[in-house]
Amino acid sequence: MNDAALTNLLAACRSYAGGRVDARFNAAAQAFYADAKVQPKIVTRAARELRSLPPPGAAILANMLGTVVETGGSVERSGPAVWELFTTWLPQIHRGFAGRKELSPRQQQLLEAFQLLGQSVVSHLAAMPKERALAAGDTSLMAQLAELQDYTPGAAWVRHMLLSRSDLLLVLHVPSRRGFRLRYENIVNCFHLFTLIQAAFGETLPGGRSPNRFIIDMARCVTVVEDGNDEPWWRYETVQPNQSGAMEISGEASVDTITRIDGTQVILLSPPVEGAALWDTSFFTPQLFVMPANVVLERTLTARE
């Protein structure tokens, strides 16, 4: 195996101090990408070097490994090492802010490099569902991400990814007594879900409309989010366990708050009330283009169902 590409890249990473890369670094990076396509083991060897590099160089190398994964590389070759680096840096940065003192030079350096590392983690975890589930259940990690998300987008992106849910959903249109099975993907909050439910139904139900393509493309991560608003076509309610009647779903709440019946979440649609609240497109952010949000109408329920 030719070691020149990896040797040159590691040397460039050790010299990298942040910001824009120079011509030397760019040449080393392109040689590495070319070798990675024909010699995948070079990716594994590069991943092993992450912990030995200074933070700026480690972060930009991790970011490059994320690019390799996004273009078809095996996530197993670099994913574990990138995630290990992230979970090593995260508590160090968090301790700096938790202490309510000025960050140490080391913590400041980690914070400045954290955005690139966060991008890499998103690229890798998108293809690592088991690791995502384990991380989402780690209350300490989730708390640290929540406390740091206002200071670095690297924390915000990873937290959003770990809060995202994909599941089946039964939607019952109360006035017409019709039911549908839908599947939603990579959604965190109910306002985002409402927008994409409306896109899935369009004009097929009473009260429906032709979707606003500008809004829907942003909600599906087809285009970058700009300022905009959406409004409810129906009232969104869910059942109350062991009680009669229904309760309105909070749009700001997690999709996890939607009640399950026999293991499946259920939403009831009824005519909207006058003056129902609008929501803005900030509920579609942060956008993770490697895990786009969507809702798919799978089928209409039978009368027996």
Side-chain angles (χ1 to χ4, degrees), residues 79-100:
V82 169
W83 180 239
E84 181 185 11
L85 188 66
F86 185 87
T87 55
T88 299
W89 287 12
L90 177 65
Q92 295 182 51
I93 299 171
H94 180 261
R95 278 196 298 272
F97 284 100
R100 301 185 183 281

Side-chain angles (χ1 to χ4, degrees), residues 152-169:
T152 168
W157 295 330
V158 175
R159 180 173 183 265
H160 187 82
M161 167 172 272
L162 298 180
L163 290 175
S164 294
R165 298 290 182 264
S166 301
D167 212 334
L168 293 176
L169 177 68

Side-chain angles (χ1 to χ4, degrees), residues 215-276:
I215 297 293
I216 300 308
D217 282 351
M218 290 189 288
R220 288 179 175 155
C221 297
V222 175
T223 59
V224 175
V225 165
E226 301 177 28
D227 290 340
N229 293 303
D230 201 4
E231 60 183 338
W233 301 350
W234 302 285
R235 184 172 183 173
Y236 291 86
E237 298 175 311
T238 191
V239 293
Q240 300 184 74
N242 305 317
Q243 297 183 41
S244 60
M247 60 182 179
E248 190 161 2
I249 299 171
S250 168
E252 296 183 0
S254 163
V255 292
D256 284 337
T257 61
I258 301 169
T259 303
R260 294 179 183 274
I261 299 295
D262 295 331
T264 304
Q265 293 180 302
V266 177
I267 287 182
L268 310 177
L269 302 182
S270 57
V273 295
E274 185 114 10

Side-chain angles (χ1 to χ4, degrees), residues 13-14 18 39 44 66 93 104 121 155 159 182 184 188 246 248 260 263 278-279 291:
C13 287
R14 291 188 184 97
Q39 300 183 114
T44 307
I93 299 171
S104 70
V121 167
R159 180 173 183 265
L182 289 79
Y184 66 86
V188 174
E248 190 161 2
R260 294 179 183 274
L278 307 181
W279 56 91
M291 282 180 55

Side-chain angles (χ1 to χ4, degrees), residues 70-229:
E70 288 186 21
T71 53
S74 171
V75 71
E76 288 79 11
R77 293 192 176 278
S78 53
V82 169
W83 180 239
E84 181 185 11
L85 188 66
F86 185 87
T87 55
T88 299
W89 287 12
L90 177 65
Q92 295 182 51
I93 299 171
H94 180 261
R95 278 196 298 272
F97 284 100
R100 301 185 183 281
K101 299 178 181 178
E102 186 174 341
L103 296 182
S104 70
R106 168 72 176 179
Q107 290 166 334
Q108 186 63 43
Q109 190 179 45
L110 293 178
L111 179 64
E112 291 171 358
F114 206 62
Q115 179 170 336
L116 279 178
L117 181 57
Q119 289 175 336
S120 177
V121 167
V122 167
S123 299
H124 283 87
L125 284 189
M128 300 168 70
K130 291 183 180 179
E131 289 76 6
R132 283 205 315 274
L134 286 172
D138 185 331
T139 54
S140 175
L141 182 143
M142 293 300 292
Q144 290 176 41
L145 290 173
E147 292 170 18
L148 290 178
Q149 66 177 354
D150 292 336
Y151 299 101
T152 168
W157 295 330
V158 175
R159 180 173 183 265
H160 187 82
M161 167 172 272
L162 298 180
L163 290 175
S164 294
R165 298 290 182 264
S166 301
D167 212 334
L168 293 176
L169 177 68
L170 296 183
V171 174
L172 309 178
H173 184 251
V174 177
S176 65
R177 302 182 64 82
R178 297 170 66 193
F180 307 86
R181 188 170 98 155
L182 289 79
R183 173 171 44 84
Y184 66 86
E185 300 171 345
N186 306 322
I187 296 178
V188 174
N189 63 77
C190 292
F191 277 142
H192 197 173
L193 179 64
F194 297 165
T195 287
L196 291 175
I197 286 175
Q198 293 175 176
F201 282 118
E203 299 176 286
T204 62
L205 283 179
R209 310 173 195 171
S210 177
N212 181 326
R213 183 53 52 192
F214 173 72
I215 297 293
I216 300 308
D217 282 351
M218 290 189 288
R220 288 179 175 155
C221 297
V222 175
T223 59
V224 175
V225 165
E226 301 177 28
D227 290 340
N229 293 303

